[in-house]
Amino acid sequence: MSGKKINIAIDGYSGCGKSTTAKAVAKALGYTYIDTGAMYRAVTLFFQRHGIDIQDEEAVAAALNQLEIRFNYHYPDKKLHTYLNGEDVESAIRTPEVAAFVSPVAAISAVRRKLVEQQQAMGRAKGVVMDGRDIGTVVFPDAECKFFMTADIDIRTNRRVEELAANGVEASFESVRANLLERDKIDSNRADSPLKKAEDAVDVDTSHITIEDQIQQVLQIVNTVIGE
């Protein structure tokens, strides 16, 4: 292998295992993992806490200038946590209340411009694994490896219900399914950076494979590119 560093873009729908796969791939390669979804969730949390009207362009612009989002390892659980203005908000951004509003917030052009700029800066040195909805099309259109993940909606719903339960949050199958479908609709139809597969992305359907299998599927392709 040449040992060269590349950027890896993983896009797709909620509940397909994007983040889990991206984290594992980054760990296996010694790369930096960036959770773009957490960044949009952090902005949503800030807007909710401060009563920001997302229809008010001036209020949105002013709020964006007041927040700083960072990722740091939380050593007690050995996981990467999201920090908003110095506060660990990893648990707060995973609630159904934030999930219900993250897609409308992420559809705001000013929000996307602000975060895409930060995300691109994070990837300039290469060696980054980033997952989201517009990574391969907007953030890293020149990424050396791109993947697009999909899965059956009911399987995605069950995964999200289990994920919430593991974090101490109870949510019904019906409410989670409705939320995922609504997010799919908003994300795929927004005017700015809609969710879509990059032309050169590799399809990964995670409906009936284990998380270990999808990680290995991605790593096999990545290692081939790194070794070229």
Side-chain angles (χ1 to χ4, degrees):
M1 289 189 182
S2 66
K4 68 178 181 181
K5 283 194 173 184
I6 66 172
N7 284 335
I8 302 165
I10 302 179
D11 291 306
Y13 298 94
S14 298
C16 293
K18 295 192 309 296
S19 296
T20 303
T21 299
K23 289 174 186 175
V25 169
K27 183 177 181 180
L29 298 172
Y31 279 21
T32 299
Y33 166 66
I34 304 296
D35 183 352
T36 64
M39 296 175 75
Y40 286 102
R41 284 172 175 266
V43 173
T44 302
L45 179 66
F46 186 90
F47 284 6
Q48 289 178 331
R49 284 179 171 180
H50 294 83
I52 304 299
D53 179 358
I54 63 173
Q55 304 298 326
D56 186 335
E57 294 183 4
E58 289 188 5
V60 167
L64 289 173
N65 288 327
Q66 296 174 41
L67 54 85
E68 177 188 63
I69 301 167
R70 300 286 184 194
F71 295 100
N72 288 306
Y73 274 98
H74 188 251
Y75 290 101
D77 61 10
K78 297 182 180 178
K79 292 182 180 179
L80 198 65
H81 281 215
T82 309
Y83 286 77
L84 173 62
N85 293 340
E87 176 192 355
D88 184 345
V89 294
E90 187 61 30
S91 295
I93 64 173
R94 305 297 175 181
T95 63
E97 290 76 20
V98 169
F101 290 100
V102 66
S103 286
V105 170
I108 301 171
S109 292
V111 173
R112 299 205 71 80
R113 285 195 301 269
K114 179 81 170 181
L115 295 192
V116 166
E117 182 181 313
Q118 292 183 21
Q119 292 155 10
Q120 289 175 331
M122 293 173 181
R124 286 199 185 104
K126 299 287 187 177
V128 164
V129 182
M130 194 174 288
D131 74 284
R133 287 164 174 73
D134 63 347
I135 311 307
T137 55
V138 176
V139 181
F140 294 151
D142 297 325
E144 291 84 350
C145 277
K146 301 177 185 178
F147 300 90
F148 192 85
M149 294 190 167
T150 61
D152 177 81
I153 183 59
D154 288 340
I155 291 174
R156 291 163 54 202
T157 301
N158 279 322
R159 289 173 178 170
R160 185 51 52 87
V161 170
E162 291 173 359
E163 178 186 346
L164 289 169
N167 289 320
V169 178
E170 289 189 17
S172 70
F173 180 92
E174 292 76 15
S175 66
V176 171
R177 190 178 193 276
N179 173 253
L180 289 177
L181 288 173
E182 180 65 16
R183 290 185 65 186
D184 290 349
K185 180 180 177 181
I186 295 173
D187 292 342
S188 299
N189 292 285
R190 65 186 177 221
D192 195 333
S193 309
L195 166 64
K196 64 179 181 179
K197 178 190 171 187
E199 291 184 1
D200 53 347
V202 176
D203 279 308
V204 181
D205 187 335
T206 71
S207 299
H208 304 294
I209 61 175
T210 66
I211 189 66
E212 290 77 15
D213 285 340
Q214 68 191 60
I215 291 167
Q216 288 307 313
Q217 187 174 334
V218 169
L219 275 173
Q220 184 175 13
I221 294 171
V222 168
N223 283 326
T224 298
V225 173
I226 292 175
E228 289 177 349

